[in-house]
Amino acid sequence: MTLVSLHSSFSVLLFMALSNSSWRQPQPPFFLVGVPGLEEIQHWIALPLGLLYLLALVGNVTIVFIIWTDSSLHQPMYLFLAMLAAIDLVLASSTAPKTLTVLLAHAHEIGYIVCLTQMFFIHAFSSMESGILVAMALDRYVAICHPLRHSIILHPGIIGRIGMVVLVRGLVLLIPFPILLQNVVFCRATVISHAYCEHMAVVKLACSETTVNRAYGLSVALLVVGVDVLAIGISYALILQAVLKVPGGEARLKAFSTCGSHVCVILIFYVPGMFSFLTHRFGQHVPHHVHVLLATLYLLVPPALNPLVYGVKTRQIRQRVLRVLYTKASI
């Protein structure tokens, strides 16, 4: 089962579970503002967001299709890349459609259960993306520091287990988000000053005690980002140490080049994500429309740029894409 189909199946199950758990206390729908303070030009903001979503769909579907159909690409690096592309598809599709309807069609209302379901998938698949970036860093470490044992260490069984661990971690850590919100009372206008249902944006609407919600959200963020960034940092420190011992300058350049695309993807993902996380808690002086715009771009820019970065940097994928396009053009 692919991550995209799993997203669809699990969203239905989560929707039903939340509906059954809250039937005695029906909650009012939420109202998504969009980009606060920029309501007059929101339709113009939707254009680049729509373009990013289109790029994310085309690029990641292409990556998954090429790796799935070409057996020569069934290697650790490309299998992890296919997982990343599938996660990006779910992440972008969990955010962009509703955001675009808010900005273009002024369809601001979102059901309580739908909001919690969207919130869960956004945060769960962000956690999964972080986990896959760790797996890709591990692959680069093994490929550079233990090249002769690469296929033995990262055999298909291990890759499948790593993917399952990343998936389960995201689901288990984030399922308490919507469950804990079931006990929160929203006794004032449920207007979310955001373009989508983000955890802290929803928590801030509550007038009941939210200490547990805030503490758990902070703990999960620090655990996921802290552990993953530490693991990536250790991997690249060992890679750098190994590369600097290589005598030839050309060999060093080749080693750095193989890691360059992954480093770009890491920066694209973590930098805006950390900005959004810190702004929610400590960025009272950051204009709210700037925060919302960057938080929205954080979920759309990595899915849109990752295929381009890997398509340009990875020769095998670039050649495969050109071959497919040339074949279609010849027909």
Side-chain angles (χ1 to χ4, degrees):
M1 180 180 290
T2 64
L3 280 172
V4 178
S5 61
L6 181 64
H7 165 264
S8 178
S9 302
F10 197 84
S11 62
V12 172
L13 293 174
L14 181 64
F15 185 91
M16 292 173 62
L18 292 175
S19 299
N20 292 334
S21 66
S22 60
W23 69 271
R24 291 182 180 176
Q25 297 178 341
Q27 297 282 2
F30 290 104
F31 184 93
L32 292 170
V33 172
V35 185
L38 300 179
E39 288 84 359
E40 297 292 328
I41 60 170
Q42 286 194 148
H43 57 286
W44 293 111
I45 297 173
L47 294 178
L49 295 182
L51 179 60
L52 286 173
Y53 182 48
L54 180 62
L55 286 174
L57 287 179
V58 173
N60 288 293
V61 167
T62 301
I63 292 290
V64 171
F65 173 77
I66 286 174
I67 295 174
W68 183 273
T69 56
D70 192 338
S71 58
S72 67
L73 297 179
H74 292 178
Q75 302 172 29
M77 173 184 174
Y78 303 111
L79 293 175
F80 287 135
L81 178 55
M83 293 180 193
L84 181 67
I87 290 170
D88 279 341
L89 277 173
V90 176
L91 194 58
S93 297
S94 297
T95 311
K98 182 57 185 177
T99 298
L100 292 175
T101 58
V102 169
L103 300 181
L104 288 174
H106 304 291
H108 296 278
E109 187 175 290
I110 182 171
Y112 174 77
I113 301 301
V114 176
C115 180
L116 296 191
T117 303
Q118 183 192 47
M119 177 193 70
F120 167 75
F121 276 102
I122 287 172
H123 292 292
F125 278 82
S126 293
S127 169
M128 292 178 202
E129 177 144 354
S130 181
I132 291 298
L133 291 178
V134 174
M136 296 175 81
L138 172 64
D139 171 66
R140 291 300 84 206
Y141 162 73
V142 176
I144 292 175
C145 298
H146 304 283
L148 299 179
R149 301 178 59 204
H150 185 236
S151 60
I152 299 174
I153 296 174
L154 291 178
H155 57 80
I158 288 294
I159 295 172
R161 292 189 192 102
I162 291 174
M164 187 56 63
V165 168
V166 169
L167 176 66
V168 171
R169 185 189 74 162
L171 297 180
V172 170
L173 285 180
L174 276 303
I175 193 64
F177 273 24
I179 292 175
L180 288 173
L181 281 170
Q182 293 290 298
N183 300 319
V184 170
V185 177
F186 299 98
C187 57
R188 67 170 188 251
T190 51
V191 177
I192 302 176
S193 298
H194 216 293
Y196 56 86
C197 288
E198 198 273 341
H199 179 248
M200 281 303 299
V202 175
V203 169
K204 287 178 179 179
L205 298 179
C207 61
S208 60
E209 183 59 47
T210 60
T211 303
V212 174
N213 302 75
R214 292 172 182 268
Y216 186 74
L218 180 62
S219 300
V220 169
L222 293 177
L223 175 65
V224 171
V225 176
V227 171
D228 290 357
V229 169
L230 178 63
I232 292 172
I234 292 173
S235 297
Y236 274 96
L238 294 173
I239 288 172
L240 182 62
Q241 185 181 36
V243 169
L244 292 178
K245 293 180 180 178
V246 176
E250 185 176 344
R252 288 183 185 180
L253 184 61
K254 183 178 179 180
F256 281 126
S257 178
T258 59
C259 297
S261 56
H262 188 227
V263 172
C264 290
V265 169
I266 289 172
L267 294 176
I268 291 170
F269 179 75
Y270 283 113
V271 172
M274 289 304 300
F275 175 85
S276 178
F277 171 77
L278 294 173
T279 300
H280 257 309
R281 289 161 175 82
F282 312 109
Q284 290 81 5
H285 301 296
V286 177
H288 195 53
H289 66 274
V290 173
H291 176 208
V292 172
L293 281 173
L294 289 178
T296 305
L297 290 172
Y298 154 66
L299 297 177
L300 290 177
V301 170
L305 292 187
N306 288 351
L308 296 177
V309 170
Y310 281 108
V312 170
K313 293 290 293 182
T314 309
R315 178 176 54 83
Q316 292 89 334
I317 291 179
R318 186 171 64 249
Q319 290 179 344
R320 185 74 172 86
V321 171
L322 293 174
R323 196 185 315 153
V324 170
L325 294 175
Y326 177 77
T327 302
K328 290 186 176 181
S330 302
I331 295 177

